[in-house]
Amino acid sequence: IINNYVDGAQGGARDEASPSGLHFRDSKRKVDYVLAYHYRRRLARPAPGAASPEPTRGSASVALVSNGGTGQGHAGPRQQQQEQDDGQRALWEWPGLPGLEVVQLSPLDALEEERRLQREEYERNLLEAGLEIEKDPENKSQGLSFVRIHAPWQVLSREAEFLKIKMPTKKMYEITEEKGILKTLNEIWCKFTEPLQPQVPQQENTKMKNLSYPFSREKIYLYNIKDKDTFFDNATRSRIVREILKRTSTKARNSMGIGTLIANNVYDAAYPLHDGEYEGQNDDMNERKLLYQEWARYGVFYKFQPIDLIRKYFGEKIGLYFAWLGLYTEFLIPSSVVGIIVFLYGCITIESDIPSKEMCDQRNAFTMCPLCDKFCDYWNLSSACTTARASHLFDNPATVFFSIFMALWATMFLEQWKRLQMRLSYFWDLTGLEEEEEHPRPEYETKLLQKKLKNKNITTENSNENEKEKLTWSDRMPGYAANFGLILFMIMLTFSAVFGVIVYRITTAAALSFSTNETTRSNVRVTVTATAVILNLLVVLILDEIYGAVAKWLTEIEIPKTEKTFEERLILKAFLLKFVNSYASIFYVAFFKGRFVGRPGRYVYVFEGYRMEECAPGGCLMELCIQLSIIMLGKQLIQNNLFEIGIPKLKKLLRKLKDERTELKEMDTNQSKDPPQWDLDYILEPFTGLTPEYMEMIIQFGFVTLFVASFPLAPLFALLNNIIEVRLDAKKFVTELRRPDTVRAKDIGIWYNILSGIGKLSVIINAFVIAVTSDFIPRLMYQYAYSQNGTMHGFINHTLSYFNVSQLKAGTQPENSLFAQEVSFCRFKDYREPPWSPHQYEFSKQYWAVLSARLAFVILFQNLVMFLSVLVDWMIPDIPKDISEQIKKEKTLLVDFFLKEEHEKLKLIESFITRDKRRRRSGTKSKRTRAASFSQCHRSPKGSFTSFSSQHTVV
């Protein structure tokens, strides 16, 4: 053991690891981080007496290896038999370099040798940084090996001060509670929800809070350090080690940090350990097992989330995600209740809806024009009775109220999230958190190195200039151009997919209309709609997966410098592509379908024979509802749940099988039956970020808010999905993923801006859905402008125009019409002049009046809802009043605490000085020496006692 570095050749076998699997072999030092890599040893030996080939230029690599010579003109004794590499390895003397042997390596072995040297250099640099390392012995021909890292107190305290990690001090203060009726309501709520609280350890006194301050070694007396091994929790320790790993460099390939080494396959993985098993026979309770029992099981779906424990175990960034997801799920409860009420209102009033009654009345003989040319017959409007009645469930006056409610709901949700975020920032000591300087990404460093090599600037003399060199916009221009072109292509691909589904609907409807089966012909619209929506769902799911991979590749070729910049650009690209993919078909049904059909005698055709599709007699709102519900439910069930459960399990199985196949080549008979924790964690899926989790919830938020006027039950289905989603994500983090690195964050970043944008966009879209897609405005106009008695009687007749069937184009009339009576005029849904008018088939005055009313409604609705949203935003402060007061109080207490501590230290020093003077007066030499040594020990960094008073003045 050299400097706490246990070499593989010196250390024991892997079965001598600590029983817990969380410590070094001494069972004292904690494993804070693990590096994993695959190795391949050279075991072959050449035949005795084999000739040594001369060194020539070829495909094989050449390495110079010391054989023990002094390098001073004479060689040491040569060892003729040595361990050889796989393939042919030859030895010869290199002219002019005595004491060295030249080893000819195959390309694969040369690469492995280079990686081994990089690992040795990197681990040597980690030791110089103060970390302690333990390695597994490489006693097989090939296999998996682990490097375990421990950070001693000196390193932890140094890095905590460097990273400005806030730690609790000895000072505690009382948290001011809300008073009056709010306190009473809070107590009642806590009592009522007590069975829903998770059974996790709570702070003994919730009314008291430790005063926190960035860690400082000079002021170590301020902190409540009972045990140096437990003062920094596991998450903080792993975070500190990760920072050291990220900034430790190697000279080979000019690599900077563990990220570059993993990208170059020097190491396979780097991860902190979980706190033990999450289930098992042992009674040892750890935080992971506690999270599994109280949070990550479907059986506790009714309980609140232990947010503080989640944050402690996984870090602030993941804690904020689950806090946001929990608040979003809670807010879906009132919106689901209101949505159900709106739906029930439609069910109750369906019998009293006059327009649907008129449509279903057999006595109203509305003979409608054929739905297709030649093969379609005239038909009675009463045959569409079922569609009309179903449309009323979603197309009624209550949906207008619900749209306004959901717009205000979105605003209140965002405001409440800002307040909760601020509250969590206070209790998690994130107030005043500064942006940490991030290390460049490995891809950025590689590109920068290539640029330096190209410019021939890598020299010792201008190394300072190279450090300032960076990638300019001209270096990234090819990436930007590729981004613009490919994103535009992907959007056009989405539109093409939507157009392909439209063509499918048109052609399938025409083909089914040719059928001789009466049942098939009567159910054409239902068959086409159902199959087209399922086809569209499959297209959306496939393109979603493609777009996720394309967005990542496009972001990589942009070469962002830091991980934060990379993540933000990836989020924007992925959201843009997935937003267009998810909502393109819904936008088409809502705003374009049935708008460009034309009229009888002058229809709009595609491919010179197929008419553009029309909306159902009850309007397009019912079809919009079907489209929205199937895509939303399909994405949630298939993509969000099945993919999230199945894919991680499949990857875990494949990784396990691969490692077992490697291990079977050379079995270790002494291997322990109970694998250590680092072995178990390596099999788990690596954590790749929160972007997929946020993305699926943001897309769902769009389904809930953007087209909620057409589907009031959307919040209910979102709520049911999220109840499962919370536990599914929890189980994935606790059982399926390696422990993520803890990342401090005070907000959810760019996702809040996306949520806010969707909330504002939802107001405009719902205004157009009510005004354009639904029949709300035409009904309102008829009742108050055209109805003779102020009722809805005669509305259906008012919305249908006349067409003279003798004016149908030749070849488009129905063949072998089976209609009961002779048809002279047929009806179609539009506001046009009748055939007996001088301006026949032109838009009527009612059309322009309804259009004006629709536009006026959009403007009125949008401004009213925006005004109410701003009013709600203004009325609800972003920072809760009690939290604002606590932050001010904490700052004041912090200053008073420092002044008090410094004042006590000054008094103590002054008392020693006074005592020292008295001892000097006694004239005893030994006392003078003792006092001088004591004063020397208690000098300030500046070397004099006066510095204490100067520090006191600064504070």
Side-chain angles (χ1 to χ4, degrees), residues 40 92 326 382 933:
R40 180 170 172 271
W92 60 85
S382 57
S933 65

Side-chain angles (χ1 to χ4, degrees), residues 462-481:
N462 60 0
S463 60
N464 294 330
E465 295 178 9
N466 287 339
E467 290 176 3
K468 297 178 184 177
E469 191 173 359
K470 60 182 181 181
L471 298 181
T472 60
W473 66 270
S474 57
D475 298 318
R476 293 192 172 99
M477 184 54 67
Y480 291 151

Side-chain angles (χ1 to χ4, degrees), residues 335-575:
S335 60
S336 300
V337 172
V338 177
I340 293 171
I341 293 172
V342 170
F343 180 73
L344 291 176
Y345 171 82
C347 295
I348 293 169
T349 58
I350 193 170
E351 296 298 332
S352 59
D353 183 49
I354 296 173
S356 43
K357 274 185 175 182
E358 288 185 350
M359 190 179 289
C360 295
D361 192 353
Q362 298 285 348
R363 293 171 295 179
N364 295 328
F366 295 115
T367 304
M368 305 299 293
C369 296
L371 294 174
C372 65
D373 295 342
K374 196 173 181 180
F375 295 99
C376 294
D377 203 352
Y378 303 104
W379 57 286
N380 274 322
L381 185 60
S382 57
S383 62
C385 174
T386 307
T387 309
R389 291 171 65 87
S391 296
H392 179 73
L393 298 176
F394 306 102
D395 190 1
N396 57 68
T399 56
V400 180
F401 157 76
F402 190 57
S403 299
I404 298 173
F405 170 80
M406 288 303 294
L408 298 179
W409 172 88
T411 304
M412 291 188 68
F413 164 64
L414 293 176
E415 287 301 311
Q416 189 61 30
W417 167 245
K418 284 194 286 188
R419 290 169 62 84
L420 177 61
Q421 193 171 252
M422 198 64 214
R423 189 175 294 277
L424 293 175
S425 295
Y426 165 70
F427 283 105
W428 292 353
D429 296 322
L430 298 175
T431 51
L433 180 67
E434 299 177 1
E435 290 288 336
E436 297 179 2
E437 185 179 353
E438 290 192 68
H439 301 285
R441 298 177 65 248
E443 293 80 3
Y444 180 87
E445 288 184 329
T446 304
K447 188 71 175 177
L448 190 61
L449 180 62
Q450 291 173 355
K451 181 181 178 181
K452 291 176 181 179
L453 290 171
K454 186 177 180 181
N455 297 334
K456 299 181 181 179
N457 285 331
I458 296 186
T459 57
T460 307
E461 291 78 9
N462 60 0
S463 60
N464 294 330
E465 295 178 9
N466 287 339
E467 290 176 3
K468 297 178 184 177
E469 191 173 359
K470 60 182 181 181
L471 298 181
T472 60
W473 66 270
S474 57
D475 298 318
R476 293 192 172 99
M477 184 54 67
Y480 291 151
N483 268 263
F484 178 78
L486 273 174
I487 288 176
L488 194 62
F489 171 76
M490 291 296 170
I491 292 174
M492 296 306 297
L493 178 64
T494 303
F495 292 157
S496 302
V498 173
F499 182 71
V501 175
I502 294 170
V503 171
Y504 165 80
R505 279 201 289 231
I506 294 172
T507 54
T508 306
L512 292 177
S513 300
F514 300 157
S515 175
T516 56
N517 191 329
E518 183 63 30
T519 306
T520 305
R521 294 176 65 180
S522 60
N523 295 320
V524 168
R525 192 179 295 276
V526 176
T527 306
V528 170
T529 302
T531 55
V533 170
I534 293 171
L535 178 64
N536 191 69
L537 172 63
L538 294 175
V539 171
V540 168
L541 292 176
I542 293 169
L543 289 181
D544 246 7
E545 298 302 315
I546 295 173
Y547 288 168
V550 169
K552 186 176 181 181
W553 180 73
L554 288 175
T555 310
E556 286 174 348
I557 63 175
E558 275 189 22
I559 323 169
K561 184 175 182 180
T562 62
E563 285 294 338
K564 183 179 179 181
T565 311
F566 178 86
E567 186 179 19
E568 287 181 351
R569 295 184 183 181
L570 174 61
I571 288 168
L572 287 175
K573 290 182 186 64
F575 175 73

